[in-house]
Amino acid sequence: MKKIKTTTVLFNLFYCMLLKEELVVADGVFTWLQRDRYDEIVEKYINAIKGHNCASRSKADMMMRDDIVTQIPKANELLSKVFYSNRSALVHMHNMALNRAFFMSYILQRMNSTEDYSIQPNLHYLYMSVTADINANPYAINGSSIIFDKDVYYPNWLTNLDFNKTIPLFGVKGWRKDNTFAQGNFIREPNRRVVQVKDIGAGNNKNYTNERHKMNPWYQFWLPDLDKHEDKSNKFTYSIGIRYSNVTGKFIKEEFDVFNFFGPNLPSQNEKDNGKMPVRFTVPYFDCGKSNKWVVSAVSPIVDFFPRYSNYTHMRRQRFVGVAVMDIHFTKIDFNACGISPGNPGPSYLAGIARCKSNTGCKHLSGKGYKRGGYICHCKNKYVYPMDIQGPYNGKLIEQATNAEYANSFGCIRGDHYRVLPIVDQKAHVTVEFRVANINKVSINKNNCNSVPASSLHLPGDAAYDVENQFKSQGSTALRLSHFLSLFLENIQATDNFGNLRGGGRLHQDHLFGEVLANVMADYRIISSGIFFEPYIFKNQDGTSKELFGPYAFKSEGVAKAIDMAGLPRKYIFENWYQNIKERWKTNTAKLEKYKMNQLVRSDVKGTSAVKFEYYPIAYFAPKYDDGMWSNPKFKCDRMVDNWVMTYSIPFFQRDYVAKKNIFAGVVTVDVPLDNLEINQCPQSFNVANAFKNTARCHISTECRKIPGYKYSRGAYRCDCKQGYEYQFADGKTFIEGSLVELEYEKKVRGLFSRFDSLVCRVQGGATTINSNCISILKVVIVALMIQRFTE
């Protein structure tokens, strides 16, 4: 008998196991896919309606179903519900819309007097505000608007309009402009740093209050506000306190000046009515004639007393006079293709279109936008991956598979001999605690922080690992204020005049107090926020300079307060966070990015047309998010915050017209609580500065994965079985919880009965990965080898 070469046998076995399927006729990618609801949305809306044909389409054609975008953030759920990274952009939009609504409501009511008319936010302020919203958030926010209802806006910037007169319509809308083919863009790539801003109350098709207007789904939420019987249920009274300072190192008064104003509603935790929320989201709609994109908007109402400037105060009522709107492109929003479940609550039109097999479970992947394949398929309990597969299966690969590949792959194998963990009546109570650098942060509080050593009020920087990513939205809020200040201070001179448009003006101290108050009131993760000017940069309305000016807002027992930090004995310019930023940017501004604002203003009082502003475009230089600095965790013992915080600092700049250059003008800061940081205990490389890395107690048979949503606590991880191992418990799960591992380990250390040694994955067995065809070939080869052995 002819001998069989060993190399031939190995080649045949390898080829068989590589294919793992019978020889089939080749077919193309996607040939097995059936048309589903995803294709319906693409064909009916995204591909059908474009900027060149939207004017001829009906409003109904340009608005999608209300169950396309799900898991919408609600104000009364932000503290109690975990919103994962697939909804972080929507949460940020929610907070930014609320931020602008708080500011506008506060400043309109604060300056609701004849004397304050000329110093209210002018045309430049509003245009630059929406521009900063967009440029400071290059991927989360693609449009921003401040839009007023009909006949409620009093323009202090129209020189040919009598005092105490309104204009019919006024709305500042900005959107990101594609500058691929713009003059000066030589590389022909969009840089996301140009904003188009327009008064949508001017020009053709300007009546956005009309129900038939094609791009106003944000209007009917609160406007027009004519029913005074709903004032108490739709509006909320906010109380803030401010301490002013006119002389460095001294306050005007020791107590706070209290000011009450009406703002967006503050619903209870049990409120279910979406109409009572301070922020509401639109359905996806086509922004025809403006950005010409499919967008989703977050909308919050602006409140003011109306009519303004009236001596008959008993005849005035608080009214919704406008809305603050933030837009995001629809294609940037994730959709969950998995079935309806507690993690993917319905109704959801796109739920259930994932192509996971029946023995696998579906899990959403964040950051994919409106694209197929944004999910993974993992083996269900009592099922395991084939031994040559390292799961889970990627949804993108499944969607691209051929018919034969899908039929013979992406499945799991049934296991056997599963057991359950014993239920133990444990009387001894065990808690899990941890320390950082021998400092127990729990032991330091506002009552003893002044008596402990100064070194105890600081934690090492690696205790705040990943703060720049987890709190990027809060840092972007400070960046937005930096952009606004830089844009205003680099381009506006007090004496500017543009014919019938009054230009110039200066920033008022109440403007900036309103900005920092809005930062802390609109985002629960921001404990405090401040603007700190360089000496003699900030000018009063009469042109005199203040040595120092530092409006600083903070939350005290749920109430927002603000002080001018210039009134404190110690000057803020000597603080480390200020010095670090100043040293970096004082003499070198070369790394600042250049941004542009293209603004269209009304040609006359009636808004007959929209024309280019005299300065078109307006350019400014400002930092980006990575130019800011996060501080190490510290306990802020100042009788205001009194909490463990991390501070994000970002500079802003002013134009020196004599030297013809931009100069460092100050710092914007936000403080975020350390308790909201999520730690990562999983193994990481030696060069990663993480105080908690490699502290997870997963067994060698498992692989550690961080679980999001748990704030600064141990056990926020899971132990997944490695390739070649399988989960051995019949409890409906496919992994071991890190919290259980930590708790059982503590019991073991204390000599109590513990299940710690049982929390492992067993070696995979009992199931084969080789299909029947390969098994047949293997049997033939083995028999041939045995015959050859005995015939020699």
Side-chain angles (χ1 to χ4, degrees), residues 44 58 89 214 230 289 313 356 359 365 413 544 587 682 735 754:
K44 184 177 180 180
S58 68
K214 290 185 177 181
E230 295 185 359
T313 56
C356 295
N359 52 21
L365 286 180
I413 304 170
T544 59
T587 58
C682 294
F735 58 87
S754 171

Side-chain angles (χ1 to χ4, degrees), residues 375-552:
Y375 59 90
I376 58 174
C377 302
H378 59 85
C379 291
K380 292 182 178 179
N381 186 241
K382 298 184 180 180
Y383 286 86
V384 295
Y385 299 103
M387 292 188 66
D388 60 333
I389 296 295
Q390 184 175 1
Y393 300 111
N394 191 303
K396 183 178 180 180
L397 298 180
I398 296 176
E399 300 282 350
Q400 295 177 349
T402 64
N403 188 16
E405 290 172 340
Y406 183 75
N408 295 281
S409 306
F410 308 113
C412 295
I413 304 170
R414 176 76 180 191
D416 203 356
H417 303 296
Y418 289 95
R419 62 193 185 94
V420 296
L421 282 170
I423 300 175
V424 181
D425 183 14
Q426 183 62 58
K427 296 182 179 180
H429 180 66
V430 177
T431 58
V432 179
E433 298 179 355
F434 63 90
R435 293 169 177 260
V436 186
N438 296 321
I439 301 173
N440 189 347
K441 73 181 189 66
V442 179
S443 64
I444 299 177
N445 52 58
K446 64 180 181 180
N447 298 321
N448 63 8
C449 62
N450 285 315
S451 59
V452 300
S455 59
S456 298
L457 301 179
H458 295 266
L459 296 179
D462 57 2
Y465 168 75
D466 203 36
V467 61
E468 66 278 2
N469 295 317
Q470 295 185 36
F471 291 93
K472 186 174 183 178
S473 294
Q474 288 67 42
S476 296
T477 302
L479 180 63
R480 179 254 160 211
L481 194 46
S482 167
H483 270 249
F484 167 72
L485 293 171
S486 298
L487 176 53
F488 196 98
L489 295 175
E490 291 176 22
N491 289 281
I492 302 302
Q493 299 188 64
T495 57
D496 284 343
N497 204 336
F498 304 98
N500 65 326
L501 298 179
R502 182 180 289 111
R506 291 189 175 92
L507 294 172
H508 190 271
Q509 62 177 357
D510 280 331
H511 296 163
L512 302 184
F513 272 115
E515 293 285 358
V516 294
L517 283 166
N519 285 352
V520 302
M521 295 177 70
D523 193 333
Y524 75 94
R525 300 179 81 182
I526 296 180
I527 292 183
S528 60
S529 177
I531 305 171
F532 304 92
F533 282 82
E534 268 281 87
Y536 301 105
I537 289 291
F538 183 80
K539 296 184 181 297
N540 297 310
Q541 293 300 304
D542 59 4
T544 59
S545 298
K546 299 184 72 170
E547 180 184 4
L548 295 176
F549 179 55
Y552 174 78

Side-chain angles (χ1 to χ4, degrees), residues 5-54:
K5 293 184 179 180
T6 305
T7 55
T8 303
V9 174
L10 294 176
F11 176 80
N12 289 332
L13 286 175
F14 174 76
Y15 182 77
C16 178
M17 296 184 68
L18 181 65
L19 292 180
K20 293 200 306 178
E21 58 185 45
E22 298 179 6
L23 184 62
V24 297
V25 178
D27 56 355
V29 179
F30 307 125
T31 58
W32 61 278
L33 296 179
Q34 299 296 321
R35 186 176 184 276
D36 58 16
R37 293 184 294 274
Y38 175 89
D39 301 299
E40 176 188 337
I41 298 301
V42 172
E43 294 174 8
K44 184 177 180 180
Y45 298 108
I46 298 177
N47 290 342
I49 300 178
K50 304 291 184 179
H52 66 272
N53 66 1
C54 65

Side-chain angles (χ1 to χ4, degrees), residues 188-239:
R188 292 294 182 257
E189 292 183 0
N191 56 24
R192 309 181 71 84
R193 297 200 297 269
V194 178
V195 174
Q196 183 74 47
V197 192
K198 179 184 179 182
D199 178 359
I200 63 172
N204 297 326
N205 193 28
K206 62 185 178 182
N207 189 8
Y208 50 80
T209 66
N210 193 307
E211 186 177 345
R212 290 173 293 179
H213 197 272
K214 290 185 177 181
M215 42 73 68
N216 66 344
W218 31 261
Y219 180 80
Q220 68 272 18
F221 285 151
W222 291 281
L223 304 175
D225 183 13
L226 303 176
D227 189 358
K228 63 181 180 181
H229 298 291
E230 295 185 359
D231 286 349
K232 291 184 178 179
S233 60
N234 284 341
K235 306 175 181 72
F236 191 82
T237 304
Y238 296 88
S239 179

